[in-house]
Amino acid sequence: MNRTSLQQLDPIGALAGQRLTLTASAAVVLLSVIACLFSGGETDSTVAAVLSSILFAGAAGVLARAVARGNGLLGQTIASSVLALGALGLLAAVVGVVGAPLDGSQWAPYAVAILLLALVPYRPVAEIVISSVLLAVWTVLAVTFGASTVDEAPAGFRQIAAALPVLALPLGGVAFSSHVLQFLASWRRTALDAAAEEVREQEGAITRVVQQTRVTILNRDVVPFFADLAARGEIDSGDRERARQLAESIRTIMVADIDRSWLEELVHPRDPLTGRSAGSSSVEDPEELAHLMDLDQRAALRAFLGLLGDLAGDHSAHLEVALATDLGVCEVRIVSRLGVSEREARSALRPYLAVMATVFSDIGFQFRDNILTMRFCYDRP
Amino acid sequence: MIDGIARGTRTVAAVCLAGALAVSAAIRAETASESTAGILAAILVAGAALLLLALTRTRTTATIYVVTGGAAVTGATAVVAGFPPVYAPAAEYAVDLLWVAAVMVGGIGLHRGSGLAWTAAGLAAGALGSLLGALLAGSAVRVGIVPLAAAALVAVIYVLTGSANGRRIRLAQPRIHRAARDERLAEVRSGVEMRAAALLHDTVLGSLAAIANGPVGPITEPVAHAVERDLDAIIGQDWTERVEARTPNDIVAALATVVDDTRALGLVVQVTGDTEALERLAPAAADSLALAVRQLLVNVHQHSGASSAEVVIVSYVDSVSVMVIDGGIGFVPAEVPGDRLGIRSSVVARAEALGGGVRIWSTPGRGTSVLITLPAPAESPDPQQWVGASRGEGSR
C-alpha cells in the first residue's frame, strides 16, 4: 500500500482532482509574487525575493505541466524536481528576504507545504512522508542560518513556526490518501471477487454457446456424412474425397479461430456461424504481440477502443491498429477516424487516457483533420 | 473522498495542537511564567476533544470539539495578553494554531456541504473566542490571518474535489469496469474455444483422416467405433461437465489406457520413470495430460516412421513432467505448416491452459522429444477433490 499512489489505484479519481492540483500550483505562484512585492526596499532582499519567486514559479510550472498533460503517471523525477525547486526557492526566501513587512521565513514554508500537498495524489504515501520530513529539516536549517530581523523569543520559535506547515499540510494529505487507498483496495477486492464469481457463473453458459455453434456447423455437413456412412456400412472413393474435403474445411476454420487474436476479435468480431467479420477496421500484428498484454492492459485497451467506436459516428471503417516490437518494447499505433470535434474528443478521451497511462507507457497522440493517431508502449515479457 | 478529507483535516489539527504545545513549552521554559499553564491547559483540553471526535464522529462530538476549540481560543487569548511583549508573537502564534485546529474540524458524513459548514463553524467559534478573550483581557482584537487562510484552503479542497466537471469522468468509470469484466469473459471464452478445438481435433478430424486415408470397402470396426464415439462426444456430451470422479490410481490407469490404445495401432510404447508422480495432478490436469500424450503418440505413429516410443515421467518439487521420445525421422519445428493443429491445439494449448508448458526438440534424422510440464502441488491433492470434481465444482 505504501508504494502505490492514488493515481495508480484510481487514475480517474486522480484526474478528477486535477483542478485542485492546478489551483495549488497557481496559489504557490501567487503567494511568491505577493511576497516578492512586499519584500521591502533592500536590494539584497529584492533580488532574493525575485529569485525565490522564479524558483517557486518553476516548481509550480513543472507540476502543472505534468498534471495538465494527463497522459502519464507523475514519476519520481518530476516530483523530485518540483520539491528541489521548492526547496531552493525556500532557501532564497528565508536566507535573502529579511525585514518587514514580510519575512521570507513566514511565507516560504507555506509555499513548500502547498507543493507537497499537491503531490499527494500522485506519489506514494511513504514518499510524501519522507519528503515532508526532509523538507522540514531543510526548512529548520535554512531558518537557523538565515538572517532575520524578527525578534527570536523564545529560542526555537522561528524553527517551529517554519517547520510546522511543511509537516502539517502534507501529513494531512497523507491521512487523506491512506484512507482513500484503504477504501479503494477493499472495494477492488470486493469487485474482483464479484467479477470472478460472475465469470464462474457464466462459464457454463459460454461453454454451451461455443458447443452449440460448433455443433451447428458440424450438423450441416459432418453428421449427415457420418450417418450415411454408418447406414451404408462401406467406404467408397467418393467418401474418401468427401472426408478429405470436410477435414480440410474444418481445419481451415479451426486454424482461423486459433490464429485470431483477442484484439482482432475485438476490432472486427466474426460471426461464428458464417465466419465473416463485420466492418473493415484492421489489425496488423504479424508478431502476435497482442497476446503479450496482461489482463489490465487488455481491459484498458478494450474500454478505449469501445469509446473510439462511439466517437467514430457514421464511419464504419474507422480504426486501424498496428503492433510492432523494437528492442524488447512493444509499440501500438492506433489510427481512428472520428465523427466529433477535436475538443469534444479530447474531453471524452481524458479519463480513458488516464487509465491507459497506468498500464502503458510513452503515450502520445495527435489530432489532424478529425483523425486521431495514438501511440503507446508496453514491455515485452 | 469527503470522509478522507475530514480525516486529513483532523490530522492537520493534531499537528497544529502539537505545534502549539511545542511553542508554549518553549515560552514556559524561558519565562517560567505560570500564565503559560493556561495556554497548555487550553491545548490539552482541545486535544482531548479532538481525540474524542476522532474516535466517535457524530454531530455531538463535533459540536463539543468546536465549542471546546472556541473556549480554548478564548482562554489562550486572555492569557496571552499578559505576556511580555517579546513573547507576544510566539504566544499569538500558539493561539492561532488553536484557532486553526478548531477550523480543521472536518465534516460529519459524506456530503461536501457538511464539511464546509463545520469548517465555517470552527472558524466562527475561533473568531468568537478571540473576541471574547480580547474583551476579557482588555486588549485589542486580533484578526487571525492564518486561520482565515486555513479555512479558505479547506473550503477550496471541498469545493474542487469531485466537482461537477467530473461528469464525463464519472461516466467513464462504469464503462471501464464493464470492459474489465468483458475481458475476463473473453478470456474464459478463449479457453473454452481452445478446449473445443482440441476436442474436435482429437475426435472428428482424426476420424475424417482415418476415412480419407483408409481402404475402400466395408467400414472397419475401429473406424465404425470412432465414428460412433465422435457423434456421441460432439452431440451427446454436455461440455460443461467436469471430469469424472477419479482416484489417484485411476489417473495412472487413464495414461495406461492411452498407451494401450496406441499399442493397438502397432506402436511399441515403453513407460518409465515415476508413475506415482501423476497422482499429484488434479483431475483436469491429469485428463489433459493423458489426451496430450495420446496426441503425441498418434503423431509418432503417423509421422515419425518409428515403430516404438518411450514415455518418461519425472517428478519435481512443484511440477510433473512427461516426455515422449522417439527415434524417428524428426522434423524442423519452425517448418511445420500453420494449419497443422496436432501440437498447437491438442498439446500446447492444453498444457498452457493449466499453467504448464511444452518444449520440443527435434532434428531431421535424429528423432523427436516433446516435454510437457504441468504444475503440481508437493502432496497428492485431497481425495475429496475428486468427488467435488465429479459434481462440476471447482474452477478451471
Side-chain angles (χ1 to χ4, degrees), chain B residues 21-37:
Chain B
L21 199 64
V23 172
S24 303
I27 296 173
R28 186 178 173 82
E30 280 196 5
T31 65
S33 166
E34 291 305 317
S35 299
T36 55

Side-chain angles (χ1 to χ4, degrees), chain B residues 80-162:
Chain B
V80 158
F83 275 38
V86 69
Y87 294 107
E92 286 167 1
Y93 182 72
V95 176
D96 279 349
L97 288 178
L98 276 169
W99 195 345
V100 170
V103 169
M104 297 287 172
V105 58
I108 305 296
L110 302 175
H111 298 290
R112 195 178 305 140
S114 165
L116 289 169
W118 283 105
T119 301
L123 183 68
L128 191 61
S130 178
L131 178 64
L132 283 174
L135 287 174
L136 283 171
S139 61
V141 177
R142 285 181 57 244
V143 176
I145 300 296
V146 174
L148 271 172
L153 174 66
V154 174
V156 165
I157 289 173
Y158 271 118
V159 168
L160 289 184
T161 302

Side-chain angles (χ1 to χ4, degrees), chain A residues 12 19 155 172 175 179 192 198-199 203 211 233 235 244 251 254 258-259 298 302 306 310 347 352, chain B residues 3 7-8 11 30 160 163 168-169 173 175 177 181 183-184 187-188 197 212 217 219 237 339 344 396:
Chain A
I12 292 185
R19 291 202 325 173
H179 174 76
L192 285 175
E198 184 186 0
V199 165
E203 188 175 356
Q211 178 188 5
I235 299 172
R244 197 169 290 121
R251 190 183 299 280
M254 286 171 62
I258 290 171
D259 283 347
R298 295 198 305 269
R302 178 181 286 268
D310 289 347
S347 176
Y352 296 86
Chain B
D3 197 35
R7 285 174 187 262
T11 301
E30 280 196 5
L160 289 184
S163 61
R168 268 195 193 272
I169 293 167
Q173 192 96 318
R175 183 170 198 162
H177 293 155
R181 184 207 62 184
E183 186 52 42
R184 285 187 182 84
E187 212 176 32
V188 167
I219 296 179
Q237 184 179 3
D339 62 345
R344 282 172 69 188
R396 245 174 353 107

Side-chain angles (χ1 to χ4, degrees), chain A residues 24-34 53 56-58 60-61:
Chain A
S25 300
V28 167
V29 174
L30 195 64
L31 182 61
S32 64
V33 166
I34 290 173
S53 294
F56 274 118

Side-chain angles (χ1 to χ4, degrees), chain A residues 271-291:
Chain A
D271 185 320
L273 292 178
T274 64
R276 282 190 285 274
S277 299
S280 49
S281 296
S282 67
V283 175
E284 193 183 313
D285 184 15
E287 295 176 73
E288 298 182 359
L289 300 175
H291 290 299

Side-chain angles (χ1 to χ4, degrees), chain A residues 55-213:
Chain A
L55 288 166
F56 274 118
V62 169
L63 177 61
R65 185 164 183 273
V67 167
R69 283 175 70 190
N71 58 346
L73 294 176
L74 198 151
Q76 194 172 34
T77 305
I78 291 180
S80 300
S81 304
V82 169
L83 295 179
L85 287 169
L88 291 173
L90 178 140
L91 185 65
V94 169
V95 173
V97 184
V98 299
L102 206 58
D103 192 285
S105 66
Q106 292 173 323
W107 65 267
Y110 288 94
V112 169
I114 292 173
L115 287 173
L116 275 165
L117 189 62
L119 284 170
V120 163
Y122 305 103
R123 300 305 305 158
V125 160
E127 190 176 309
I128 296 293
V129 171
I130 292 170
S131 300
S132 303
V133 170
L134 289 176
L135 281 169
V137 171
W138 173 264
T139 303
V140 167
L141 290 174
V143 163
T144 302
F145 294 107
S148 174
T149 60
V150 174
D151 288 338
E152 296 196 20
F157 164 62
R158 285 186 70 228
Q159 285 79 354
I160 294 171
L164 198 64
V166 179
L167 286 173
L169 288 185
L171 287 181
V174 160
F176 162 80
S177 184
S178 297
H179 174 76
V180 175
L181 281 170
Q182 208 169 8
F183 170 78
L184 286 174
S186 169
W187 175 86
R188 192 177 158 104
R189 271 193 303 273
T190 306
L192 285 175
D193 287 346
E197 181 61 30
E198 184 186 0
V199 165
R200 270 196 294 274
E201 287 173 4
Q202 295 231 24
E203 188 175 356
I206 290 171
T207 304
R208 277 188 284 276
V209 166
V210 169
Q211 178 188 5
Q212 197 51 51
T213 54

Side-chain angles (χ1 to χ4, degrees), chain A residues 236-254:
Chain A
D236 59 31
S237 56
D239 293 328
R240 289 173 59 183
E241 183 56 31
R242 180 73 179 133
R244 197 169 290 121
Q245 287 171 352
L246 285 173
E248 194 53 43
S249 170
I250 293 173
R251 190 183 299 280
T252 302
I253 294 173
M254 286 171 62

